[in-house]
Amino acid sequence: MSGYVDGLGDSYSEYYNTSRAEEYNDKLVGESFGIGLIAVPEKSGLYVWRVYDGGPADTAGIKPCDLITEIGGQPVTELTVSDALELLKGKDEEVKKLKVKRGSEVLNFELKCEDCDVQTVFAYVSDQHNVGRVEVLSFNKKTSTQFKAAVDSLVEMGVKGIVIDLRHNGGGTVESAAQMLDYLLPKGDTLHIKYN
């Protein structure tokens, strides 16, 4: 089935087996068990791209730009990317032991997996120009709530403008995107959808 869908030549079409479909649906709901971070593959490990506010990784002190080199004593370089990312997930209270490189420093962490909201919205302020940036990585059930909180916090800081950054957005539900638009735009219809 995967080969059949690949044969369409459509970069936006992909076959999901049962486990991948369940994982994708969990992301759309916005809940997951794990340590609360987003990691991407690098040659020498997993690069920590984002850390969920208040999640286990954040509480333990893991920071964006850290490099995860070992998970549970296994070097990341000896694992496939999917296996390494799978090892970062876990059941409630399951302990994950990580070896992390931060510059020239090597750190060891023990984190307990927990049920945490998937953080899809991150807010930043440019000190130089006093402009806020709201990065939205995907549209799941909880994105609009996170988006409203991010915008409100930036407005309270007195920023003179806000940029909404969708560059790394992987998609999601139309409803979530529409709720974000509802928060920003005057009352009225924001979009019309016509399905084939």
Side-chain angles (χ1 to χ4, degrees):
M1 289 301 296
S2 183
Y4 179 80
V5 175
D6 285 347
L8 294 172
D10 178 3
S11 59
Y12 295 101
S13 295
E14 187 176 357
Y15 174 71
Y16 283 6
N17 61 22
T18 305
S19 63
R20 287 217 44 212
E22 286 172 359
E23 186 180 321
Y24 180 72
N25 287 332
D26 287 345
K27 282 183 183 174
L28 291 182
V29 171
E31 296 172 357
S32 73
F33 276 98
I35 57 174
L37 58 76
I38 303 170
V40 293
E42 286 255 324
K43 274 190 269 181
S44 49
L46 291 175
Y47 174 80
V48 178
W49 187 44
R50 298 287 182 269
V51 177
Y52 297 171
D53 295 335
D58 184 34
T59 304
I62 292 177
K63 301 181 184 306
C65 301
D66 283 350
L67 187 71
I68 301 169
T69 57
E70 286 186 17
I71 306 169
Q74 297 184 65
V76 173
T77 52
E78 294 177 9
L79 301 165
T80 65
V81 172
S82 57
D83 285 346
L85 292 172
E86 195 63 34
L87 281 175
L88 291 178
K89 300 174 191 166
K91 297 175 184 169
D92 194 20
E93 298 288 309
E94 186 179 338
V95 174
K96 298 289 178 180
K97 294 182 179 183
L98 306 181
K99 186 173 276 189
V100 171
K101 193 172 180 189
R102 183 179 296 160
S104 59
E105 195 178 4
V106 176
L107 306 165
N108 291 294
F109 293 93
E110 281 194 20
L111 306 101
K112 275 188 184 173
C113 294
E114 61 182 52
D115 186 7
C116 52
D117 289 346
V118 174
Q119 189 173 344
T120 58
V121 179
F122 297 83
Y124 311 92
V125 178
S126 161
D127 294 331
Q128 189 178 1
H129 303 291
N130 195 30
V131 172
R133 178 166 66 96
V134 178
E135 184 180 30
V136 184
L137 299 181
S138 66
F139 300 109
N140 71 31
K141 194 173 181 181
K142 304 199 176 179
T143 298
S144 61
T145 303
Q146 294 175 10
F147 177 77
K148 290 172 190 174
V151 169
D152 289 348
S153 70
L154 291 172
V155 169
E156 283 174 21
M157 289 180 199
V159 297
K160 63 182 183 183
I162 297 175
V163 174
I164 300 169
D165 184 353
L166 302 174
R167 286 175 296 177
H168 301 288
N169 191 297
T173 68
V174 173
E175 292 81 3
S176 176
Q179 287 165 0
M180 286 172 51
L181 291 173
D182 280 342
Y183 190 63
L184 298 174
L185 300 174
K187 192 170 182 178
D189 291 347
T190 53
L191 59 99
H192 293 276
I193 304 168
K194 184 176 179 182
Y195 292 104
N196 290 334

